[in-house]
Amino acid sequence: MKKVLLVTASLIALGAAAPAVAADLAARPYTKAPPMVAAVYDWTGFYIGANGGWGSSRNSWDSVAPFLVGPEGSHDATGGTVGGQVGYRWQAGTWVFGLEAQGNWADFSGSNTSLAFPGFRNHSKIDAFGLFTGQVGYAVNNVLLYVKGGAAVTSDSYRINTVGGALAGVTGDDTRWGGTVGVGLEYAFAPNWSVGVEYDHLFMQDRTYNFTTPGGLAFGADRIRQDVDLVTARINYRFGGPVIAKY
């Protein structure tokens, strides 16, 4: 009888302890997974790059006093260009602001037969240009659309040839200043690398040039109006940190 009572007491004790053990082994509470990390590209920093493309200069000549006064016609001086750019951008929200200097070698040349002097051809050439501009852009992560504007300078030369090709009059090299506006689209394909395409229009001031013969004698005078259109592809390397990670 005594043994039976001991066994019964042990079973009761085990039954009382079972709920406590079950409570200790309860399932762990559910923990929510951390949100995904979104990478946001930051355009801030200094950059340096190269560009190349095509350009066309529209040149209109007018003969002026003290020689025969009258229009001589217009021509397009076209060709290729290659150069480089350096600048700095800073980003505020989705807006990007920047400053840039660009210098290019060019080979834009063209000519037309003079309307006032049919025995002669007027020839124009641009062999270099520079742009000094400010930028305002809108960024959609690693894609940047921007407009730009500022000063432009071209290195020009002009000459007059006979229809047969002999040199009749020259001006020598000339530096001409004007203004420029443009628009561009740039895509960052790596943390510090981007490629883009850009269009620029140059408004160059009218200039009057005195032409002399190869022997130094006065040959004529012309007022020449000039505008330039440029389309270039660009690649830039940006110095600075990588993209910004945001939760």
Side-chain angles (χ1 to χ4, degrees):
M1 185 67 178
K2 186 176 181 179
K3 291 182 177 180
V4 173
L5 292 174
L6 290 174
V7 170
T8 302
S10 298
L11 291 174
I12 293 172
L14 288 174
V21 173
D24 292 340
L25 299 178
R28 296 179 60 186
Y30 172 76
T31 302
K32 184 178 180 181
M36 295 182 64
V37 177
V40 178
Y41 193 84
D42 182 14
W43 291 91
T44 299
F46 288 96
Y47 64 90
I48 188 171
N51 71 82
W54 173 89
S56 178
S57 170
R58 182 68 174 174
N59 301 272
S60 298
W61 292 44
D62 291 288
S63 180
V64 297
F67 302 92
L68 178 66
V69 176
E72 294 198 57
S74 303
H75 58 264
D76 293 329
T78 60
T81 180
V82 63
Q85 63 273 350
V86 61
Y88 181 79
R89 289 177 175 141
W90 60 96
Q91 185 167 350
T94 56
W95 293 99
V96 180
F97 307 91
L99 296 171
E100 183 181 276
Q102 175 181 337
N104 277 53
W105 166 86
D107 186 20
F108 307 158
S109 61
S111 64
N112 71 283
T113 299
S114 171
L115 299 178
F117 310 99
F120 297 93
R121 290 188 64 84
N122 298 331
H123 182 89
S124 303
K125 183 178 181 182
I126 295 178
D127 53 26
F129 65 86
L131 306 178
F132 306 92
T133 56
Q135 297 180 1
V136 178
Y138 184 83
V140 182
N141 201 0
N142 61 333
V143 177
L144 175 65
L145 177 65
Y146 61 88
V147 294
K148 60 188 294 186
V153 58
T154 58
S155 175
D156 304 89
S157 62
Y158 305 98
R159 70 174 188 267
I160 300 173
N161 292 81
T162 66
V163 174
L167 181 62
V170 293
T171 63
D173 294 337
D174 178 69
T175 299
R176 178 184 287 208
W177 285 88
T180 181
V181 293
V183 62
L185 178 67
E186 198 163 332
Y187 169 73
F189 62 91
N192 295 90
W193 289 95
S194 59
V195 294
V197 61
E198 185 175 290
Y199 166 77
D200 297 287
H201 182 80
L202 281 58
F203 305 89
M204 309 310 295
Q205 59 179 318
D206 295 359
R207 293 286 294 276
T208 297
Y209 298 93
N210 294 313
F211 288 82
T212 59
T213 66
L217 300 176
F219 182 77
D222 277 88
R223 184 178 68 250
I224 301 175
R225 299 185 300 277
Q226 182 185 79
D227 291 300
V228 185
D229 292 291
L230 305 169
V231 178
T232 53
R234 300 154 58 93
I235 184 167
N236 287 325
Y237 178 81
R238 179 179 60 87
F239 300 93
V243 295
I244 298 175
K246 291 187 177 181
Y247 288 93

